[in-house]
Amino acid sequence: MDLLRIGYGQTFNNNFENSGSSTQVRSFEADLTFPVPLSEKNVLITGGAFSRNNLQLFPDADFTSLLSTTLKLGLATTFNEKWSTTVVLLPKVASDYKNISGDDFYLGGFALLKLKRSDRLIYRFGAYASTEAFGIFSTPIIGWYYLSANGRFEMDMSLPISADINYCLGATTIGMDYFGIGRSFNITEDNSPEVYVDLSSLEFASYIQFNALNKSVLLRAKFGYSSNDYEVYPQGQEIDFGLSAFSFGDDRTQLNPNVSGGLFLKFEAIYRFHLKQENDESNSPSE
């Protein structure tokens, strides 16, 4: 289980469509999970997450910071040797944090059913949903955790939100990962149009990792491609429903040019607590 994860990254160049201008995206994330055992079969899940993305939303505009603070509150329950569940609420405040109001508050959460086939193989089935400025976003979650018999090859999959495949060489680990989810940020700055940002996030990366303190502290350098698109829409314009990568009833008017994807470099530090048997997800959908 990953108790603490801190990351900082930056894209090299993101071009605005039909424009000679471009921007860079600087990002910072911090994610804390603090489990509290309630009984032999129940664990209270608490914690929080913070993210900051800094970029230009329009060609030649000032840089805007899009911030999100999420609380975690949930319950992990083990029914027997094979079946367990995790249900977590994820309320958040997401905006530029200029004039915070109730319009910046969103409620999300996820639920997972886990089937343990062995100490090295666990299947996951569930769903994630969140209210956003553009409406309701949801996605099913289908995945698995697998660890090879020699403990070197690992797969941690929660599709279509995240995936991590890696191979341990001892003091170092090489791997590749993916993360993708829909998010939104309300723009509340004075004397500016009432708009919000719809972020469609897709990040693919390879990484090299240094394993310290018996693999409890992980230092990771990532290089990859981000196709994150920061679309600006007038407040009040919503889709009927969002399901994974599909939007239904979308007749919104986008105000800014599309932002192209770009290569990025990212550094992460992770504090990981190892259970005697790997029977838990290390990560939840991140806000």
Side-chain angles (χ1 to χ4, degrees), residues 133-135 196-198 200 231-234 236-239 247 249-255:
F134 53 79
Y196 67 88
V197 178
D198 180 350
S200 300
E231 300 176 353
V232 179
Y233 295 100
Q237 290 193 6
E238 300 181 1
I239 62 176
S247 297
D250 188 356
D251 57 359
R252 298 172 296 171
T253 302
Q254 185 173 336
L255 303 178

Side-chain angles (χ1 to χ4, degrees), residues 195-206:
V195 298
Y196 67 88
V197 178
D198 180 350
L199 169 57
S200 300
S201 177
L202 291 173
E203 295 183 352
F204 306 86
S206 59

Side-chain angles (χ1 to χ4, degrees), residues 7-227:
Y8 175 81
Q10 181 172 323
T11 61
F12 295 105
N13 195 50
N14 301 86
N15 295 317
F16 288 100
E17 189 177 75
N18 300 321
S19 172
S21 300
S22 63
T23 185
Q24 293 179 330
V25 182
R26 294 185 291 269
S27 64
F28 172 81
E29 298 97 25
D31 191 300
L32 172 68
T33 300
F34 187 75
V36 180
L38 299 178
S39 66
E40 186 176 331
K41 294 188 175 182
N42 295 286
V43 176
L44 179 68
I45 305 297
T46 66
F50 173 80
S51 71
R52 178 180 182 268
N53 295 297
N54 183 257
L55 76 157
Q56 294 167 286
L57 296 173
F58 294 86
D60 303 319
D62 293 335
F63 276 78
T64 298
S65 290
L66 305 175
L67 304 107
S68 176
T69 301
T70 304
L71 296 179
K72 300 180 186 180
L73 182 62
L75 184 68
T77 302
T78 300
F79 298 104
N80 51 48
E81 292 184 355
K82 288 189 175 182
W83 294 99
S84 61
T85 59
T86 301
V87 179
V88 179
L89 291 176
L90 299 168
K92 67 176 180 179
V93 176
S95 71
D96 57 4
Y97 284 17
K98 298 296 185 181
N99 295 290
I100 297 178
S101 69
D103 293 334
D104 307 340
F105 176 83
Y106 307 100
L107 180 61
F110 70 92
L112 290 175
L113 175 66
K114 295 166 283 183
L115 171 61
K116 180 180 178 181
R117 299 307 302 267
S118 71
D119 290 344
R120 297 183 290 107
L121 178 61
I122 302 168
Y123 293 110
R124 304 166 180 157
F125 312 93
Y128 168 82
S130 176
T131 59
E132 300 289 344
F134 53 79
I136 297 176
F137 172 83
S138 66
T139 181
I141 301 173
I142 300 176
W144 63 92
Y145 176 86
Y146 171 76
L147 183 66
S148 64
N150 63 8
R152 290 185 177 272
F153 179 71
E154 183 181 42
M155 300 179 70
D156 193 349
M157 317 292 284
S158 294
L159 301 173
I161 294 176
S162 65
D164 188 330
I165 301 174
N166 62 77
Y167 188 84
C168 181
L169 301 172
T172 60
T173 296
I174 56 174
M176 56 181 140
D177 66 10
Y178 154 82
F179 178 76
I181 201 168
R183 290 173 285 176
S184 63
F185 304 86
N186 198 24
I187 301 298
T188 62
E189 187 173 3
D190 290 330
N191 302 318
S192 65
E194 295 184 347
V195 298
Y196 67 88
V197 178
D198 180 350
L199 169 57
S200 300
S201 177
L202 291 173
E203 295 183 352
F204 306 86
S206 59
Y207 64 83
I208 184 169
Q209 173 180 291
F210 176 70
N211 307 312
L213 300 179
N214 197 27
K215 297 184 180 179
S216 293
V217 176
L218 312 177
L219 304 177
R220 185 178 293 179
K222 302 171 66 172
F223 179 75
Y225 179 82
S226 167
S227 64

Side-chain angles (χ1 to χ4, degrees), residues 248-269:
F248 301 93
D250 188 356
D251 57 359
R252 298 172 296 171
T253 302
Q254 185 173 336
L255 303 178
N256 67 330
N258 288 328
V259 179
S260 69
L263 298 174
F264 73 90
L265 184 64
K266 189 172 186 179
F267 298 95
E268 291 181 340

